[in-house]
Amino acid sequence: MGATTDKIKGTANEAMGKAKQGIGEATGSDRLQGEGVIQEVKGKGQKAMGDAKEATKDAVNKAADAANKNL
């Protein structure tokens, strides 16, 4: 997956996780609250992965630009 895809999926999972937690709290469902927490954490991880991929790509591009300037 690309960085943007990871970030989009991460944002969606975070939102769904928060919604599940809210519904779980409103209905008294510990199971739903737990699923929400897990999904939210998964989303944060996906977003972090997207950020890391983007940072790596940026670093590689900067290094390539610097190398091309020296040619």
Side-chain angles (χ1 to χ4, degrees):
M1 269 187 264
T4 303
T5 303
D6 285 334
K7 288 181 181 183
I8 291 169
K9 286 185 175 187
T11 300
N13 273 320
E14 270 191 271
M16 292 288 290
K18 287 179 183 179
K20 281 184 180 180
Q21 288 177 61
I23 293 168
E25 285 179 31
T27 61
S29 172
D30 291 337
R31 184 179 141 268
L32 197 55
Q33 280 181 289
E35 287 178 9
V37 170
I38 291 168
Q39 191 165 5
E40 184 180 356
V41 169
K42 177 182 175 183
K44 287 180 181 183
Q46 285 173 314
K47 284 174 61 177
M49 181 63 77
D51 289 340
K53 285 180 181 179
E54 188 173 0
T56 301
K57 182 179 176 182
D58 290 345
V60 168
N61 287 337
K62 285 180 185 178
D65 287 344
N68 286 333
K69 286 180 185 178
N70 292 331
L71 293 179

